[in-house]
């Protein structure tokens, strides 16, 4: 079975869900703070004169910008991100909300250019339209957003990333290469005999910095990186890089590709027959991407992550049950990338509850005492990063089988 890869626009803009998602805003800048409950006009960036979207700023609720991809290569798992975050909001509100107030989401398209996303999020913060930010988006977006808002409101970043984020007010739920990639490469060297790696990634900060770390990890496990290739987001033709991989005579390919780019690479890799001679390892490969890759694109494909839909734990089974009851059997598949947005909401609510205030300095001061519960059980912050278990899984057809905890 093979699922079509979304086009350049990713997925259609999601519709808001009852009980927690505000209408999608289109903020500009330089708008004065309104009176409570007032309505603020936001000029539509790049729109025609007089084109205005409207957003009601309501101080009786706590509003959070949910920054997730609605277009581009990552747009294919955007719907899961939104639904998982919505599920978390509804659970928080059933438990009394945040500081006794209803929690709401304001969706922001994290698949736009980083500068555009940063400008939109900053406008929402500056006008008081949101009191926090969370969501899955690539590192170049985080690097644009964090300096503009993290010192003003709490920002929970949920995507795996290259490590090293130290901006005050930023809290991180997902994996970093030292805990995710290094033990996976070491295990594959030992169990699968991988000695020669080729790295293929998109051309931005996360793949490039992770590739540098991979060179160290390969050396420390008795292997080496024999070649690297970095490709623009949205790449469709992988023929040249597949020929480079073949010439390099490697036995392992480290994939640092996002969303639909990884899907297209998997399909091309399978058609080339390279899966007969070398395995692939990805640190960003969820169940949506696996399904879209098709059976012919998943042979000898390994993934490492802190969450897999197939993990058999009480918390994960409860999560699946709640998701299915709320959104039905036709909802998009659960995976680590969508699940991270559930955790982003839960962590943000826990941070605010612990500090008993929306003040970002007070939240930061209390952060290392914060725990929260989710599909991965009870998790705790340390130095603003979530401490977590990491797993290695192998694709079998269109499902992942978890092999071990790393």
């Amino acid at each position: 079975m093979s699922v079509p890869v979304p086009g350049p626009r990713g997925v259609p803009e999601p519709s808001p869900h009852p009980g927690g998602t505000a209408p999608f805003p289109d903020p500009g800048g330089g708008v004065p703070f309104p009176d409570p409950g007032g309505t603020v006009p936001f000029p539509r960036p790049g729109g025609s004169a007089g084109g205005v979207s409207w957003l009601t700023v309501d101080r009786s609720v706590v509003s959070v910008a949910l920054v997730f991809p609605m277009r581009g290569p990552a747009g294919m798992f955007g719907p899961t991100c939104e639904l998982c975050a919505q599920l978390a909001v509804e659970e928080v509100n059933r438990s009394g909300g945040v500081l006794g107030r209803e929690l709401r989401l304001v969706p922001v398209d994290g698949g736009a250019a980083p500068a555009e996303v940063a400008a939109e999020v900053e406008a929402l913060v500056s006008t008081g339209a949101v009191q926090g930010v969370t969501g899955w988006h690539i590192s170049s977006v985080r690097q644009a957003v964090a300096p503009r808002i993290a010192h003003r409101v709490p920002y929970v970043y949920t995507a795996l990333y290259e490590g090293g984020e130290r901006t005050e007010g930023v809290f991180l739920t997902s994996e970093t290469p030292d805990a995710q990639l290094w033990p996976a490469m070491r295990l594959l060297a030992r169990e699968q005999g991988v000695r020669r790696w080729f790295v293929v990634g998109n051309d931005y900060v996360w793949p490039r910095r992770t590739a540098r770390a991979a060179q160290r990890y390969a050396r420390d496990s008795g292997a080496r990186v024999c070649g690297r290739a970095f490709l623009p987001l949205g790449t469709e033709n992988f023929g040249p890089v597949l020929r480079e991989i073949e010439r390099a005579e490697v036995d392992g390919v480290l994939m640092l590709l996002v969303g639909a780019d990884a899907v297209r690479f998997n399909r091309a890799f399978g058609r080339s027959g390279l899966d007969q001679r070398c395995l692939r390892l990805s640190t960003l490969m969820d169940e949506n991407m696996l399904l879209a890759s098709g059976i012919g694109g998943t042979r000898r494909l390994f993934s490492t992550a802190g969450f897999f839909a197939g993990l058999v734990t009480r918390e994960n089974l409860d999560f699946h049950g709640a998701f299915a009851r709320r959104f039905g059997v036709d909802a998009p598949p659960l995976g680590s990338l969508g699940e991270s947005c559930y955790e982003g909401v839960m962590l943000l609510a826990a941070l605010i509850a612990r500090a008993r205030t929306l003040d970002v300095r007070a939240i930061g001061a209390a952060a290392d005492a914060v725990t929260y519960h989710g599909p991965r059980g009870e998790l705790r912050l340390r130095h603003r990063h979530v401490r977590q278990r990491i797993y290695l899984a192998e694709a079998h057809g269109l499902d992942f089988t978890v092999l071990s905890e790393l």
Side-chain angles (χ1 to χ4, degrees):
M1 175 181 179
S2 180
V3 176
V5 177
R9 295 287 299 177
V11 296
E13 184 173 308
S15 300
H17 303 289
T21 304
F24 180 68
D26 228 339
V31 182
F33 190 86
D35 293 329
T39 302
V40 185
F42 291 106
R44 188 179 300 275
S48 59
V52 174
S53 292
W54 298 82
L55 173 69
T56 299
V57 178
D58 186 350
R59 288 182 176 177
S60 69
V61 303
V62 174
S63 294
V64 172
L66 177 67
V67 185
F68 69 100
M70 302 181 192
R71 67 176 106 172
M76 65 182 302
F77 48 79
T80 308
C81 291
E82 185 180 25
L83 295 185
C84 287
Q86 181 62 31
L87 183 65
V89 164
E90 293 173 4
E91 291 181 9
V92 169
N93 286 336
R94 282 196 297 271
S95 299
V98 174
L99 302 178
R101 293 147 66 181
E102 180 185 355
L103 182 63
R104 290 184 183 172
L105 296 175
V106 177
V108 174
D109 184 4
E116 293 177 22
V117 180
E120 184 169 340
V121 174
E122 184 178 28
L124 289 169
V125 171
S126 296
T127 59
V130 300
Q131 294 76 49
V133 178
T134 190
W136 194 105
H137 36 278
I138 64 175
S139 286
S140 52
V141 172
R142 185 196 77 251
Q143 290 184 326
V145 170
R148 298 171 74 161
I149 59 94
H151 58 293
R152 301 159 70 184
V153 297
Y155 175 19
V156 177
Y157 182 68
T158 75
L160 74 157
Y161 85 112
E162 64 280 357
E165 177 62 75
R166 295 182 177 85
T167 306
E168 291 298 324
V170 180
F171 307 91
L172 304 107
T173 69
S174 286
E175 307 90 341
T176 53
D178 57 338
Q180 181 189 22
L181 179 58
W182 163 225
M185 290 181 68
R186 183 175 55 201
L187 186 148
L188 291 173
R190 183 176 68 246
E191 302 293 334
Q192 299 287 331
V194 179
R195 293 293 180 267
R196 295 170 61 86
W197 288 96
F198 192 102
V199 180
V200 56
N202 288 120
D203 192 5
Y204 71 99
V205 59
W206 165 64
R208 284 191 171 275
R209 291 190 182 175
T210 303
R212 288 202 294 268
Q215 288 187 293
R216 298 194 306 273
Y217 303 155
R219 183 175 60 249
D220 292 346
S221 62
R224 66 190 181 100
V225 173
C226 301
R228 304 188 306 172
F230 298 101
L231 308 169
L233 287 163
T235 293
E236 296 187 2
N237 179 15
F238 289 95
V241 72
L242 291 173
R243 288 190 288 273
E244 285 187 57
I245 292 170
E246 186 172 15
R247 286 194 297 268
E249 297 184 342
V250 296
D251 38 34
V253 175
L254 174 59
M255 294 174 54
L256 304 172
L257 297 164
V258 175
D261 287 17
V263 169
R264 285 188 283 263
F265 179 82
N266 280 339
R267 293 175 176 179
F269 197 88
R271 288 194 301 267
S272 74
L274 283 169
D275 57 355
Q276 304 292 322
R277 51 191 283 190
C278 56
L279 60 79
R280 283 159 289 164
L281 170 65
S282 175
T283 58
L284 200 170
M285 180 65 57
D286 82 337
E287 282 75 2
N288 286 277
M289 295 161 64
L290 188 71
L291 182 64
S293 296
I295 291 176
T298 64
R299 184 176 184 272
R300 300 191 72 197
L301 173 62
F302 293 81
S303 177
T304 175
F307 175 87
F308 288 96
L311 280 170
V312 182
T313 65
R314 178 179 59 80
E315 295 88 353
N316 193 19
L317 293 173
D318 289 345
F319 179 55
H320 276 70
F323 188 84
R325 286 191 299 273
R326 176 62 181 85
F327 301 114
V329 296
D330 293 326
L334 283 169
S336 60
L337 312 178
E339 188 273 344
S340 77
C341 290
Y342 177 97
E343 288 197 25
V345 171
M346 287 301 192
L347 175 55
L348 187 56
L351 286 163
I352 295 169
R354 180 73 185 190
R356 300 182 180 179
T357 178
L358 292 168
D359 180 76
V360 70
R361 291 177 296 277
I363 289 171
D368 273 359
V370 167
T371 62
Y372 68 98
H373 293 267
R376 298 190 290 168
E378 183 177 85
L379 297 169
R380 178 180 296 274
L381 278 181
R382 181 179 176 84
H383 304 308
R384 293 185 281 112
H385 287 71
V386 169
R387 302 178 65 182
Q388 58 196 282
R389 299 181 181 91
I390 306 291
Y391 303 92
L392 180 70
E394 183 177 4
H396 290 107
L398 300 178
D399 294 302
F400 280 119
T401 300
V402 176
L403 302 177
S404 65
E405 181 180 336
L406 298 175

